Amino acid sequence: MPQLTLETTRGDWVENRHQGWFAVCASNGRVLAESDGAGAQRVFMRSAAKPFQYLAMAQLAERAGRPLDLSAEEIAVACGSHSGSPEHLAVVETILSRTDISHDALACGPDAPLDPQALRAFISSNAEKRPCYHNCSGKHAAMALTCVRCGWPLSGYHRPEHPLQRGILSILQTWAGPDAPIDTAPDGCGAPTFRLPLATGAKLFAWLGQETQAQAAREAMTAFPLLVSGAGRIDDALMRVSQGALVSKVGADGVMGVARVSADQGLLLKIADGSAQARDFATIHLLARLGWLTPEQVAHEAISPFATRARLNSRGEAIGEFHLRDEPAQRY
């Protein structure tokens, strides 16, 4: 049974219990800390894989002699899960402007913005869902550009048998290690995502935080965290408040990856039931316990909403709390 446990109470009773696992590793794969049972877990990285997918694409284009040459803002969006705000869409457009590819050619499928203000404007204007609003459209724009640079067909670029996806998987396998088991399955946007041991994912984030090959993605994400996610989201809060000391990337269904820059430490966390709220709460408190966030940073107005223990109803009344239930098998 998983031993990372988050409980939520209502009144004097436990109402929900979210369980999961985490691992902290060095880039050589050495496990520095983990929750009990983490060593047996294989998890889908989901969108936490995006920085590695971008870096693999950049390497493929370099091999073809036609580099992607993206700006830092474009790299941040390609590595991110954006909110569909006008700022995000403008950067996706600049990536596509390097080719004659239109938004409609992106295989992520049509969607509406995640950003509340952008969504209100979307609804009030009776706009139709489009691929550019999809939170993965930055990654897909970079994938389409990589196909153009490498001379590969655009058709089916998101399929696992396409040379683009085969190339990304091959490079990721090199970074993960030849013996690391990696499976693939379609992500929410149609492109492959990767199922691998939890510790392998943590190892990859340690690599992201210090490896020279990863510098472009690391620096772009920490310089433009708002483009990686959006206002009021945890990736922006963590990277902005830590002033670049952390590189953070969420994944759907309870996944979080964090790199501690230049410290050779990476974290991967998975909440078993996929709860995003439990993921965010557990992430902040684990980072505090590990010493990756200071008490002052946890109390910062951008991070405190994710760390607060109080549960409030619509009247603003306290009705319970969140808390991590310590397990004796955990090591910090």
Side-chain angles (χ1 to χ4, degrees), residues 211-254:
E211 182 63 36
T212 301
Q213 292 181 64
Q215 182 176 355
R218 178 172 66 244
E219 292 184 350
M221 293 174 73
T222 54
F224 298 98
L226 194 66
L227 293 178
V228 175
S229 56
R233 295 175 62 191
I234 192 169
D235 283 334
D236 172 61
L238 279 174
M239 290 188 280
R240 180 158 48 88
V241 173
S242 71
Q243 298 182 324
L246 301 177
V247 183
S248 165
K249 186 66 196 75
V250 302
D253 289 320

Side-chain angles (χ1 to χ4, degrees), residues 6-268:
L6 169 71
E7 293 180 338
T8 61
T9 63
R10 185 174 296 273
D12 296 328
W13 295 274
V14 173
E15 182 174 29
N16 302 302
R17 182 171 289 118
H18 308 278
Q19 296 179 310
W21 311 270
F22 75 90
V24 179
C25 291
S27 58
N28 64 2
R30 183 167 64 95
V31 176
L32 306 174
E34 63 181 355
S35 57
D36 189 39
Q41 302 306 317
R42 295 189 188 182
V43 301
F44 283 109
M45 290 188 74
R46 304 297 300 272
S47 284
K50 284 178 179 174
F52 309 101
Q53 289 168 305
Y54 165 74
L55 288 165
M57 286 187 272
Q59 189 172 123
L60 291 168
E62 289 280 355
R63 289 178 184 174
R66 299 185 63 195
L68 295 181
D69 286 333
L70 297 184
S71 68
E73 292 93 333
E74 291 168 329
I75 293 172
V77 166
C79 292
S81 299
H82 68 72
S83 295
S85 69
E87 294 82 1
H88 294 125
L89 300 186
V91 180
V92 173
E93 184 64 44
T94 65
I95 298 174
L96 290 175
S97 69
R98 299 170 181 271
T99 71
D100 58 359
I101 298 170
S102 71
H103 290 290
D104 296 330
L106 299 181
C108 51
D111 208 346
L114 294 175
D115 178 75
Q117 184 175 350
L119 181 59
R120 286 193 293 271
F122 173 88
I123 294 171
S124 64
S125 63
N126 294 315
E128 294 184 356
K129 292 182 178 181
R130 296 186 62 197
C132 59
Y133 292 118
H134 198 292
N135 75 92
C136 298
S137 66
K139 177 184 76 175
H140 277 258
M143 286 181 170
L145 177 61
T146 304
C147 288
V148 172
R149 293 285 194 261
C150 293
W152 294 325
L154 190 61
S155 176
Y157 72 82
H158 61 297
R159 302 293 186 192
E161 64 273 12
H162 192 280
L164 171 68
Q165 302 302 338
R166 293 203 309 268
I168 291 173
L169 178 59
S170 176
I171 293 172
L172 184 72
Q173 185 72 70
T174 300
W175 295 334
D179 297 327
I182 301 178
D183 302 310
T184 64
D187 208 340
C189 64
T193 190
F194 311 104
R195 178 178 178 268
L196 40 67
L198 192 74
T200 300
K203 169 187 174 178
L204 287 170
F205 271 90
W207 178 90
L208 177 66
Q210 68 166 25
E211 182 63 36
T212 301
Q213 292 181 64
Q215 182 176 355
R218 178 172 66 244
E219 292 184 350
M221 293 174 73
T222 54
F224 298 98
L226 194 66
L227 293 178
V228 175
S229 56
R233 295 175 62 191
I234 192 169
D235 283 334
D236 172 61
L238 279 174
M239 290 188 280
R240 180 158 48 88
V241 173
S242 71
Q243 298 182 324
L246 301 177
V247 183
S248 165
K249 186 66 196 75
V250 302
D253 289 320
V255 175
M256 171 64 83
V258 184
R260 195 178 188 192
V261 176
S262 301
D264 196 23
Q265 296 174 343
L267 164 74
L268 193 68

Side-chain angles (χ1 to χ4, degrees), residues 276-297:
Q277 191 172 29
R279 172 200 65 198
D280 294 350
F281 182 90
T283 295
I284 299 303
H285 287 277
L286 280 173
L287 293 178
R289 291 188 184 192
L290 291 166
W292 297 15
L293 286 176
T294 67
E296 293 76 17
Q297 289 171 327

